[in-house]
């Protein structure tokens, strides 16, 4: 089956319905919707398996995702060489129709390296750069340092920048004050926040509503709550596995059907925890295989699940009615 190529027509903005926050300026890049942070498939020999990647994308094509994230935490990007990171972006872009956004994780530890990677990913076809907080010297990563880092990246980037705060992986949360300051930059489109602090998300939405700044929930575990306080969408690892239910949850929230949305959200809590903090990427890839996608091995040092862990993972999905 031939993959569809990128269309030349510009993206059309989609209005966000059912949100209580007063609308700000129309964003140049509309992030409203669900984005799976794609898992990177590897062959048994440990090479990136581009054919399997394209096969997964063909299966995802029938789902109403807003777009896809590559080189997010679920993509094992720290284990990829720079050439592999760019090749994955290029392959995914060529596989996607023009109405699907491609967000590429371009974060590196230094500002210079982040700018270089961001420019390269734009050239490879990314629509926006998802920039994680540098964290190796986390003790020195003050709000001022991080604000300067992101401002310099945004100034140099040829594509919009989406901030990325994921304290579970980095041990560092992008300070609220820095987020609010960066939201005023014309080339900063929004934030993916994976911390799970709904008060913080609500404050970001409330304090940036005049800038048209967009908030994306970083996990399916608090997706409904994020929509309730004005988030526009989510970047959810579980969407690699249960993409249709997550898109359904998005639709229910936007239509104000909160009871149905709550019932669905509750069934997603345990599976989401299982493929993120509990069993991580090995669990995510194993679950993908049960739903017809290619998961495959992780790159070392990530280890496969034990038989007992695999059984526990399966029981989690079964107990919530997904298997």
């Amino acid at each position: 089956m031939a993959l569809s190529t990128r269309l030349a027509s510009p993206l059309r903005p989609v209005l966000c319905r059912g949100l209580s926050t007063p609308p700000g300026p129309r964003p140049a890049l509309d992030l409203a919707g669900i984005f799976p942070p794609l898992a990177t498939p590897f062959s048994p020999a440990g090479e990136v398996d581009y054919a399997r990647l394209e096969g997964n994308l063909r299966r995802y094509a029938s789902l109403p995702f807003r777009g896809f994230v590559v080189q997010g935490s679920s993509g094992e990007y720290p284990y990829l060489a720079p050439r592999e990171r760019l090749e994955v972006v290029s392959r995914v872009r060529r596989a996607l129709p023009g109405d699907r956004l491609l967000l590429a994780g371009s974060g590196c530890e230094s500002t210079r390296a982040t700018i270089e990677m961001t420019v390269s990913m734009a050239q490879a076809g990314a629509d926006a750069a998802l920039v994680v907080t540098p964290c190796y010297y986390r003790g020195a990563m003050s709000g001022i340092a991080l604000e300067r880092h992101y401002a310099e990246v945004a100034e140099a980037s040829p594509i919009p920048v989406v901030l990325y705060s994921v304290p579970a992986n980095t041990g560092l949360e992008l300070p609220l004050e820095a987020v609010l300051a960066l939201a005023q930059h014309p080339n900063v489109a929004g934030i993916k926040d994976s911390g799970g602090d709904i008060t913080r998300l609500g404050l970001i939405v409330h304090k940036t509503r005049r800038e048209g700044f967009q908030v994306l929930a970083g996990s399916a575990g608090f997706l409904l709550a994020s929509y309730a306080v004005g988030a526009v969408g989510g970047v959810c690892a579980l969407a690699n596995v249960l993409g249709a239910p997550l898109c359904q949850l998005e639709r229910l929230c936007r239509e104000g059907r909160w009871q149905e949305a709550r019932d669905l959200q509750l069934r997603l809590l345990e599976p989401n925890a299982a493929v993120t903090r509990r069993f991580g990427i090995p669990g995510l890839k194993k679950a993908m295989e049960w739903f017809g996608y290619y998961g495959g091995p992780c790159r070392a040092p990530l280890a496969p699940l034990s038989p007992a862990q695999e059984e526990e993972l399966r029981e989690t999905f079964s107990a919530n009615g997904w298997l």
Side-chain angles (χ1 to χ4, degrees), residues 4 20 35 90 158 163 223 242 291 293 299 308 311 313:
S4 53
S20 58
F35 296 79
S90 179
L163 313 176
L223 187 58
L242 297 177
F291 290 84
Y293 303 103
R299 267 193 176 165
E311 181 57 33
L313 178 65

Side-chain angles (χ1 to χ4, degrees), residues 11-202:
L11 295 171
R12 295 180 181 178
V14 179
L15 295 179
C16 304
R17 301 177 299 278
L19 302 184
S20 58
T21 302
R26 183 186 296 271
L29 186 73
D30 187 351
L31 299 174
I34 300 298
F35 296 79
L38 292 173
T40 302
F42 297 107
S43 69
E47 299 299 321
V48 177
D49 194 329
Y50 296 107
R52 296 286 194 175
L53 175 62
E54 292 166 356
N56 283 346
L57 288 169
R58 281 194 291 270
R59 293 216 57 203
Y60 290 137
S62 64
L63 299 174
F65 292 134
R66 181 66 182 96
F68 297 87
V69 170
V70 293
Q71 312 306 317
S73 300
S74 299
E76 298 176 70
Y77 80 89
Y79 297 164
L80 299 183
R83 61 174 177 78
E84 292 176 316
R85 293 180 69 178
L86 294 173
E87 183 65 17
V88 168
V89 173
S90 179
R91 295 289 188 108
V92 173
R93 180 68 273 174
R94 293 201 299 268
L96 296 183
D99 63 346
R100 302 292 179 97
L101 290 179
L102 177 57
L103 278 58
S106 63
C108 301
E109 283 299 311
S110 76
T111 303
R112 178 187 292 268
T114 301
I115 290 172
E116 291 176 355
M117 182 61 75
T118 300
V119 171
S120 295
M121 286 189 166
Q123 293 170 345
D127 294 300
L130 183 68
V131 181
V132 71
T133 50
C135 62
Y136 188 82
Y137 298 108
R138 66 178 55 85
M141 292 298 100
S142 64
I144 293 174
L146 289 169
E147 187 177 331
R148 182 183 301 117
H149 169 75
Y150 279 107
E152 290 184 17
V153 172
E155 284 294 326
S157 175
I159 53 178
V161 169
V162 177
L163 313 176
Y164 182 19
S165 182
V166 55
N169 288 358
T170 64
L172 179 70
E173 184 171 69
L174 186 57
L176 176 63
E177 294 77 12
V179 175
L180 300 182
L182 291 164
Q184 300 176 49
H185 194 288
N187 204 32
V188 176
I191 184 171
K192 175 195 173 185
D193 196 310
S194 298
D197 184 338
I198 298 302
T199 299
R200 169 184 159 94
L201 292 185

Side-chain angles (χ1 to χ4, degrees), residues 181-259:
L182 291 164
Q184 300 176 49
H185 194 288
N187 204 32
V188 176
I191 184 171
K192 175 195 173 185
D193 196 310
S194 298
D197 184 338
I198 298 302
T199 299
R200 169 184 159 94
L201 292 185
L203 280 173
I204 293 173
V205 171
H206 178 58
K207 297 289 187 180
T208 64
R209 64 191 184 280
R210 298 188 185 282
E211 283 80 31
F213 189 73
Q214 300 167 88
V215 175
L216 295 169
S219 171
F222 50 89
L223 187 58
L224 182 153
S226 299
Y227 273 116
V229 296
V232 303
V235 180
C236 307
L238 188 61
N240 284 286
V241 181
L242 297 177
L246 280 172
C247 291
Q248 181 186 6
L249 178 57
E250 176 213 6
R251 179 174 56 83
L252 292 172
C253 290
R254 293 196 177 281
E255 294 176 357
R257 296 160 62 183
W258 296 109
Q259 181 60 57

